[in-house]
Amino acid sequence: MKKILLLSDTHSHIDDTILKYVAQADEVWHAGDIGDLIVTDTIKKLKTLRCVYGNIDDAQARLEFPLHNRFLCENVSVWITHIGGYPGKYNQAIREEMQKNPPQLFICGHSHILKVMFDKKHNLLHMNPGAAGKSGFHQVRTMLRFVIDNDKIKDLEIIEIEKKALI
């Protein structure tokens, strides 16, 4: 059994609230737009990190992290990428692979909109944790946490962090 904290779009922001949830997880998964690598360096000192780079990430992040991260957690196949799209509207770059070899859990970021939905066509759970950082149009910072137990994804929780200050 693994407790997972899922975040995305930190845009160089990490704070004590995020770190409090990092401490409670077994693994942290980051779906891209890291920004400054101090974010991932800080997380890696505390927990196992699985991460992908996003469209704002620089060459250093792209050398450290892949565009797509496919792996097995417990007995659940996982695919994390930054710009993935949604069921019925997947990013053109991944459609063929999604058709041939869909995961059980598909994770993306980029939109800054928290969304969890089941894709009946590909028989998978789709997650986007929204944005944990302070940059972007979102008004509430969000993350997800859940448990993977053997072949089950369960105990899904939405974490809402304070509203962003309007400038």
Side-chain angles (χ1 to χ4, degrees):
M1 182 174 85
K2 297 253 177 161
K3 296 177 190 172
I4 309 300
L5 176 67
L6 175 60
L7 65 157
S8 187
D9 296 274
T10 49
H11 292 263
S12 302
H13 180 79
I14 188 130
D15 59 26
D16 289 341
T17 303
I18 293 171
L19 292 174
K20 174 182 86 171
Y21 289 102
V22 167
Q24 296 170 8
D26 295 320
E27 291 187 6
V28 178
W29 299 352
H30 194 303
D33 277 4
I34 303 156
D36 192 314
L37 289 182
I38 195 161
V39 171
T40 50
D41 290 345
T42 301
I43 293 168
K44 283 192 298 188
K45 287 177 186 169
L46 302 170
K47 299 292 173 169
T48 298
L49 174 67
R50 297 180 189 262
C51 188
V52 295
Y53 70 79
N55 57 294
I56 69 141
D57 292 317
D58 64 13
Q60 189 178 358
R62 292 168 191 242
L63 285 172
E64 185 167 346
F65 301 108
L67 175 61
H68 302 286
N69 194 346
R70 292 196 76 156
F71 56 93
L72 201 59
C73 180
E74 296 277 305
N75 287 312
V76 173
S77 62
V78 181
W79 181 354
I80 304 175
T81 195
H82 184 61
I83 302 175
Y86 294 98
K89 297 178 183 174
Y90 288 115
N91 182 329
Q92 180 118 8
I94 67 165
R95 283 184 197 155
E96 186 177 334
E97 182 66 17
M98 183 66 79
Q99 192 68 35
K100 285 193 290 189
N101 187 21
Q104 291 162 278
L105 176 57
F106 181 74
I107 295 168
C108 65
H110 187 62
S111 71
H112 292 223
I113 299 169
L114 186 147
K115 195 178 280 194
V116 177
M117 55 197 308
F118 190 75
D119 178 344
K120 291 178 187 174
K121 180 179 177 184
H122 295 98
N123 194 33
L124 63 86
L125 185 61
H126 178 285
M127 291 184 185
N128 184 324
K134 292 189 172 183
S135 297
F137 69 88
H138 60 282
Q139 296 303 306
V140 179
R141 297 167 51 215
T142 57
M143 301 182 291
L144 292 170
R145 69 178 170 181
F146 54 94
V147 170
I148 295 184
D149 188 1
N150 194 12
D151 63 348
K152 304 280 188 274
I153 303 163
K154 62 184 192 178
D155 301 335
L156 177 65
E157 295 177 72
I158 295 170
I159 299 166
E160 291 185 343
I161 306 171
E162 86 280 351
K163 289 188 176 184
K164 290 184 356 179
L166 297 176
I167 299 172

